[in-house]
Amino acid sequence: MVEAQTAPVWLFAYGSLIWRPDFDRLAEVPARAMGWSRRFWQGSHDHRGTPEAPGRVVTLVADPDGACDGVAYRLDTLVLAATFTALDHREKNGYERVDIDLELVDGKPLRAITYLAAPGNFAWLGPAPEAQIARQIASSHGPSGSNLDYLIGLGEALRARGWVDNHVFALENEIDPTLSGQRRR
Ligand code: SIN
């Protein structure tokens, strides 16, 4: 019997899904989302803060001059429904699944799904001075741990792959210059 061919399904990760993926995946490749920037503009009521004292986590914001480096995971289509059920739960605080166009290292395009928290969603916090965002991150805690651990985990994952994100590194620098990629570079 000939097995049905299933089209590959790719998931683009740009935040905690880079450094804490907890789903079945068959492959991963570095990928870049042109026209998007990673920003700590989304509130976290359920992971890195509480409804009374939300933390801040990343989302992608449209930015014509921006580019966001992340990881594209090829998902295991045999367990796709279960994977998305778990991810939808993990990303339930204002994120929606959307399609995104990526560029691979060799310049080839890749269409993927990503979890994006759009402006105006119920947990949206929006822009603020980086010193203020850093203070909020330094003081927030939630069921998944401290907001600072989220920032550090992300910063380390970016540096480990040789990626620069001035927003993320500036926030680290505000909190502790010894953490910061800006100081190391
Ligand atoms: C992602 O990592 O791609 C989404 C945002 C997050 O869970 O931190």
Side-chain angles (χ1 to χ4, degrees):
M1 199 174 78
V2 178
E3 301 252 339
Q5 293 290 314
T6 315
V9 177
W10 291 88
L11 177 77
F12 181 60
Y14 57 90
S16 68
L17 295 174
I18 297 179
W19 52 276
R20 207 169 61 79
D22 56 0
F23 47 83
D24 292 303
R25 51 208 189 272
L26 302 176
E28 63 177 78
V29 290
R32 178 171 283 175
M34 301 299 296
W36 296 93
S37 287
R38 176 177 17 235
R39 292 287 180 267
F40 273 82
W41 290 2
Q42 175 66 2
S44 179
H45 301 161
D46 57 344
H47 285 300
R48 303 290 172 169
T50 62
E52 298 73 37
R56 276 186 178 257
V57 288
V58 289
T59 186
L60 290 175
V61 296
D63 175 0
D65 301 323
C68 177
D69 288 310
V71 176
Y73 296 109
R74 185 173 170 189
L75 299 181
D76 184 350
T77 46
L78 292 177
V79 293
L80 201 59
T83 299
F84 277 124
T85 300
L87 283 170
D88 287 354
H89 180 75
R90 172 170 166 170
E91 304 295 327
K92 67 185 182 307
N93 207 56
Y95 291 85
E96 284 174 281
R97 264 191 253 160
V98 299
D99 292 333
I100 191 161
D101 289 315
L102 305 174
E103 201 176 290
L104 301 180
V105 174
D106 61 7
K108 290 206 177 102
L110 182 72
R111 187 104 166 135
I113 295 165
T114 197
Y115 282 88
L116 186 147
N121 76 76
F122 70 92
W124 177 255
L125 294 177
E130 279 168 345
Q132 189 182 320
I133 293 178
R135 276 198 300 278
Q136 186 171 356
I137 290 172
S139 65
S140 296
H141 301 263
S144 298
S146 76
N147 208 171
L148 184 56
D149 280 350
Y150 177 103
L151 172 63
I152 292 172
L154 179 57
E156 284 178 350
L158 299 182
R159 277 189 292 278
R161 289 167 172 81
W163 297 333
V164 175
D165 187 315
N166 290 332
H167 174 68
V168 175
F169 293 171
L171 294 172
E172 288 181 321
N173 202 46
E174 287 284 345
I175 293 171
D176 178 353
T178 64
L179 295 173
S180 169
Q182 289 189 331
R183 279 285 167 102
R184 289 190 199 168
R185 280 167 200 284

